[in-house]
Structure formats: structure tokens, C-alpha cells
Amino acid sequence: MHSKYDLLLGKVAIATKTLNKQDLRNCLEIQERHNTHLGIVMLKKKFVDEKNLQKLIKQQQKKINVTQSREKGEDLVMCRLLLRKDLIKIERLEKYIRKQEEYKERGSSISLIELLLNNQEISLIKLLETYHSISSETLACPGCQKNFRLMHLGPGKKLRCKHCKTVFGAPTIEQEFSAYKRGQEISQAVIEKEVFGNYELLEQIAEGGMGIVYRGQKKSSGQIVAIKVLGEGHRTSQEAQERFAREARTLEMLKHPNIVSILEVGIENEIPYFCMDFIEGESLSDIIDRGPLEIERAISIIKDICGGLEYAHRLGVVHRDIKSSNILIDKDGTPKITDFGLAKCMDSITVITRTGSLLGTPSYMSPEQAKGQLGRIGPRSDIYSLGVVFYKMLTGRNPFEGESTVEIYQNILTVDPPPPSHDRPEINKRIDQICMKCLKKDAFQRFKTADALAKELSRIGEKRSMWQALTSLLKGKKQNK
């Protein structure tokens, strides 16, 4: 496997006519067999001498700087490996790191390998061997001992383990130097505690377009909660702040067993947040990823969600982003609607989002949302999106798919998907009809209310129960004969 750095060096060699394409292919094959730096292969095959190779590498480094494709932890790993291999005295290395800081103060930047090349501090071969091996250096998560490539980690930055969700910190270059002077090496990260106001943040559990959700613990009571904070990239946006505040206000007024309840709203260190009940379970999206649901379970979930939506709609709130990932299923199997970030109060005369912009998630958008017709978005838009969720639970796929967002929008507006029974013949005609009615292009042809949808689904269950009772009765009479 060739690194992006090797391939970039190859491009530079082609551009400068140091190699032709066939020569480069041969060199890359040798490089992969021997697991060494491409420059060393070029040198040993006498395509370049050390002086010209040094020029090529400097050009490569300039391109890395221009494209901003340098790995965050490259200099950190180089420091570790150079000291481990005893290729440079720590005093000299500290000098080069200070030199880097001087470049930053002048509004420029230079990598450690560029400084070492310019000063010819280390033999070119040794330097390239070390540079080639940076990708193999790892740091262990203190929670689960899984290894992370150190070159991908920003020095001193906090990281959340994707396996066990432990928060830990990557070492800084100064910490590497201190450990080296003590005769040690940092092989395992240190667990970092994240504190946010009255809460300790235990793990990040979700991240959307605007906010980040953490599992947290209230320091005073030990209560486990979900804390949603406005994402760093949106904290200076007035529109994002208003939308975040709107979600908090909406959740505060909604108290229903099928809607996630809010516990507290506030601002900590100028960061808006709100605290919610922590739902022990998983998202409906994760459940569907394992395959289509049993028909009875899919119907039950839709009926419960209809209860939450009907309650919200009667209070004048339209969700506008109903989708499987915004429905959580708790450990008792109860579905709960979350993420009211796009919700709109129907009696509000203020529309924060610009006219003609799109609200929602493409695959779940109603035609009126896909057209950007904000004035036409209402309760039946949520019913349409819930129909998409129902279809996906029954079939395991979205009714409207496409290679691009534009194609998905086009399909929403012009294509009638096949009924769920096309994928699962055991689905009866009435379920097909109910699901497809939710997906009508014309909002007025959909169910008028979420309650009306729930009642239609209940009738299916009643008819099935009657049929099962009648079947059992007939079987009993035959046995008595």
C-alpha cells in the first residue's frame, strides 16, 4: 500500500522528468516489496543522486504545504522516532521545534523534515527511512487498548475512542521531550475528564449538522443525562443560535411519552446547551441497518410515533425532520422522537430560514420540502416523512434513492416507488395502501392527521385479531367432530 506522500513524490518525479511512468511503476513495485521509502528506491536504482533527490523531496514538501494534506501528528512522530533511533540530540531537536514556532509567529509554517533537510542534520537515507516509518507508530487508548495511528492525532488534542468512547489526550511534543529525558516513552494515552458546568461529559453519542450530543453525569446527583451543545462551528452564527434556542423552547413545551423530555436549558462559557433524558437503547436507524423489521413491530412503532406527532401538531409544532435516526427506541421498546432542531411553530409569523431554502434530510423530505415551499410545510409533511420511515422499516431501504442529492429530489418529485410488498410479498394490500398514502405527492391526498394514520393501522390489527380468533374457533370445531 503506497502512502499519499509516496504518490506525491512520484508525481513530482514525473513532472520534473526524473522518471517516466513505467520507471515509476517499477519503483513503486520495489518499494512495496521492501517496505521502504520511494526516494530510497529511486536512489538505489540510480535514477537520482542525493542532491537531486533532496530537491525532489523539497518540492514534494512544498506541495504538501500548499494542499494542506500534512498529517496532524507528523512532527510529533518524527520527534519520537528520531530520539528512539538516537539520530539526533534532544537539544538540537528542541532547537528545531523552537524554529518552527518562529515561523508560526511570522505567519508561515515549515515541517520538521524540511528543517532537517535544509540543515543536513541527518544523512538523507536515515532521514527517509525514519519518515517512511511514521505511519506505523501508534498510541493505545487507555480504555480498551485499541491502537490509533499517532500521525493522525493532533499533538495535545483530545480524542474520543470510536470503540469504547473513552476521552483521552494525545501527547504534546513537549511531553514527548519530558518523557524522553526521564528515560520513558509515551505508549498509552492518559484519560481526560471533560467537565461542562455541573456535568461531567462521559462520551459523545451523536453529532448532527448543528449540535453535538453527549452522555453526561450530573455532578451533584450522579444522574445520567443527554447534553446537547451548539457545535463549535455554529457558535458565531445568529441563525444557528436562534435555531438551537428554538429547539430547546419547543422541547420544553412538549411533554409526551413518545417525545424525549428536556430537563434544563442554559449557557455555559458562552456555549448554549440543553439537558435531556438519556434514552438507554438505540436509534431506529441502527435497528433498520440490521434488516427489515417484523411487520407487527413496524406497525406498533409507527402508531406510537403518531401519538407523539399528534400531540406536537395539536400544540402547533411541526417537526420537519422526521427520520429513522431521530427516533430512539428505549430498552423497553418505546419509541421516542428527538431532535426538534428544525421544528416550526405553526402560529409563528417569523421564519428564520431563508425563503426557498431546503429544510430536512433529503431522503425523508416531502415534495413541498424538496421544492423549498416553506409556507406549505405542515403536519402532513411530517406524515410523509413518517411514511418514508414506515417504508424503510418494512423493506430495509428508502423509497427514494439516487446517486446524488439532486437525483433524490428529482425522484421525490416525479417517481412513484413500488409498494413495500414488492420487496416483501407477505405484506398485505392494506398495509401497502396505508404506506403509499403517506407518500402521496399531493399533501391533501395524505392522511390529514397523525391520529388518522394511527387509527387505520389499528384497524389492521383488529381485523388480524378477529381473523386469528375465527381461525382458532374453526380449528376447535373440527377437532370436536
Side-chain angles (χ1 to χ4, degrees):
M1 185 70 179
H2 309 295
S3 74
K4 62 182 180 183
Y5 292 166
D6 287 321
L7 297 175
L8 184 55
L9 179 59
K11 287 181 180 179
V12 172
I14 293 287
T16 55
K17 298 184 179 179
T18 304
L19 297 177
N20 60 39
K21 290 183 179 180
Q22 185 56 51
D23 291 333
L24 177 59
R25 279 194 287 269
N26 293 338
C27 287
L28 287 170
E29 286 176 7
I30 296 169
Q31 183 241 349
E32 190 166 19
R33 281 202 307 271
H34 294 277
N35 190 24
T36 188
H37 193 282
L38 178 61
I40 295 175
V41 176
M42 292 164 59
L43 194 62
K44 289 186 176 179
K45 287 295 178 179
K46 299 184 179 178
F47 286 111
V48 290
D49 55 23
E50 285 202 12
K51 184 177 179 181
N52 286 322
L53 178 57
Q54 193 161 336
K55 286 180 181 178
L56 290 177
I57 292 170
K58 285 181 179 179
Q59 288 184 52
Q60 173 212 38
Q61 292 296 312
K62 284 181 181 177
K63 285 185 177 294
I64 292 172
N65 290 336
V66 168
T67 58
Q68 298 182 334
S69 58
R70 192 175 302 283
E71 295 291 352
K72 299 174 186 176
E74 178 186 302
D75 289 342
L76 172 65
V77 182
M78 281 295 292
C79 286
R80 173 179 287 193
L81 295 177
L82 290 168
L83 292 172
R84 182 190 294 165
K85 295 178 180 182
D86 202 22
L87 294 175
I88 188 172
K89 298 293 183 185
I90 190 169
E91 295 78 17
R92 296 288 296 166
L93 199 49
E94 287 175 322
K95 175 187 171 184
Y96 288 126
I97 297 302
R98 288 195 296 271
K99 194 78 174 174
Q100 279 187 314
E101 292 301 321
E102 292 172 10
Y103 271 83
K104 285 180 184 176
E105 289 171 5
R106 295 198 297 265
S108 183
S109 65
I110 188 168
S111 67
L112 181 57
I113 190 170
E114 288 176 284
L115 285 171
L116 295 171
L117 279 169
N118 292 342
N119 291 274
Q120 298 183 343
E121 183 76 39
I122 302 166
S123 76
L124 186 58
I125 297 291
K126 291 289 185 185
L127 184 60
L128 295 184
E129 286 175 343
T130 304
Y131 193 54
H132 180 70
S133 61
I134 61 174
S135 63
S136 60
E137 196 65 21
T138 59
L139 184 72
C141 165
C144 64
Q145 301 303 309
K146 294 282 186 181
N147 286 322
F148 291 80
R149 291 187 190 275
L150 190 54
M151 66 183 289
H152 297 325
L153 310 181
K157 297 295 183 182
K158 290 179 181 177
L159 174 73
R160 191 176 303 279
C161 178
K162 63 183 180 182
H163 304 286
C164 70
K165 308 302 181 184
T166 298
V167 177
F168 62 90
T172 62
I173 290 176
E174 290 73 19
Q175 287 171 335
E176 281 288 330
F177 288 162
S178 297
Y180 177 80
K181 288 173 183 177
R182 297 194 304 269
Q184 300 172 348
E185 192 172 275
I186 302 172
S187 60
Q188 179 170 295
V190 177
I191 293 177
E192 297 274 353
K193 279 192 175 181
E194 286 187 289
V195 176
F196 185 82
N198 295 320
Y199 302 93
E200 183 180 326
L201 303 184
L202 304 176
E203 62 173 322
Q204 181 178 321
I205 54 178
E207 182 171 2
M210 189 181 67
I212 302 170
V213 183
Y214 296 92
R215 182 171 70 93
Q217 185 173 35
K218 196 165 187 176
K219 290 189 286 186
S220 58
S221 65
Q223 181 186 8
I224 300 298
V225 297
I227 304 165
K228 185 169 186 176
V229 302
L230 186 60
E232 189 173 354
H234 299 277
R235 290 170 193 166
T236 58
S237 165
Q238 184 66 28
E239 182 177 329
Q241 288 180 25
E242 289 177 0
R243 177 175 150 188
F244 191 84
R246 185 170 70 250
E247 179 180 5
R249 288 194 303 270
T250 301
L251 278 173
E252 275 190 303
M253 66 186 280
L254 298 177
K255 303 295 180 184
H256 189 274
N258 297 113
I259 297 175
V260 174
S261 298
I262 200 164
L263 304 173
E264 180 184 348
V265 179
I267 297 176
E268 179 68 29
N269 294 328
E270 300 184 353
I271 302 172
Y273 76 93
F274 57 85
C275 180
M276 304 170 283
D277 283 333
F278 178 74
I279 307 302
E280 289 189 41
E282 56 187 333
S283 75
L284 181 57
S285 178
D286 289 337
I287 295 172
I288 295 172
D289 284 344
R290 297 197 289 269
L293 279 67
E294 293 179 1
I295 297 169
E296 289 77 9
R297 190 182 183 197
I299 290 173
S300 174
I301 288 172
I302 293 296
K303 284 165 58 180
D304 285 344
I305 294 301
C306 280
L309 279 180
E310 180 68 20
Y311 171 81
H313 292 164
R314 286 183 179 180
L315 289 178
V317 176
V318 182
H319 190 285
R320 301 199 292 187
D321 197 21
I322 291 292
K323 56 184 176 180
S324 55
S325 59
N326 282 342
I327 297 170
L328 304 179
I329 310 296
D330 71 14
K331 60 183 180 181
D332 297 321
T334 303
K336 293 179 181 285
I337 307 168
T338 187
D339 199 347
F340 278 77
L342 292 181
K344 178 184 78 167
C345 290
M346 288 181 277
D347 61 353
S348 174
I349 59 172
T350 303
V351 179
I352 292 174
T353 308
R354 295 183 300 276
T355 301
S357 63
L358 300 178
L359 288 172
T361 302
S363 297
Y364 293 84
M365 278 187 186
S366 64
E368 56 270 24
Q369 286 173 285
K371 291 176 182 177
Q373 297 173 330
L374 300 186
R376 296 189 178 184
I377 297 173
R380 297 189 202 211
S381 305
D382 282 348
I383 290 170
Y384 179 96
S385 300
L386 189 58
V388 176
V389 174
F390 192 24
Y391 191 102
K392 194 171 181 181
M393 281 197 288
L394 293 171
T395 66
R397 65 179 181 85
N398 281 310
F400 303 102
E401 298 173 321
E403 295 294 325
S404 66
T405 302
V406 172
E407 188 178 344
I408 291 172
Y409 290 149
Q410 189 67 28
N411 289 340
I412 288 170
L413 297 174
T414 61
V415 174
D416 290 321
S421 61
H422 180 269
D423 289 39
R424 290 176 70 182
E426 68 270 26
I427 294 174
N428 71 44
K429 186 178 179 180
R430 187 59 190 136
I431 294 175
D432 274 346
Q433 290 171 341
I434 291 171
C435 185
M436 301 310 287
K437 183 173 181 177
C438 293
L439 300 177
K440 289 290 185 182
K441 311 290 184 197
D442 182 353
F444 289 101
Q445 293 181 19
R446 299 172 206 150
F447 290 98
K448 185 177 181 179
T449 65
D451 189 49
L453 168 57
K455 284 177 179 175
E456 281 299 314
L457 290 171
S458 294
R459 288 191 188 102
I460 291 176
E462 289 167 4
K463 287 178 181 178
R464 185 169 295 170
S465 297
M466 288 172 62
W467 177 252
Q468 287 172 346
L470 182 60
T471 303
S472 298
L473 183 63
L474 291 172
K475 281 183 179 178
K477 285 184 176 181
K478 285 181 180 180
Q479 288 172 357
N480 290 334
K481 287 181 180 180

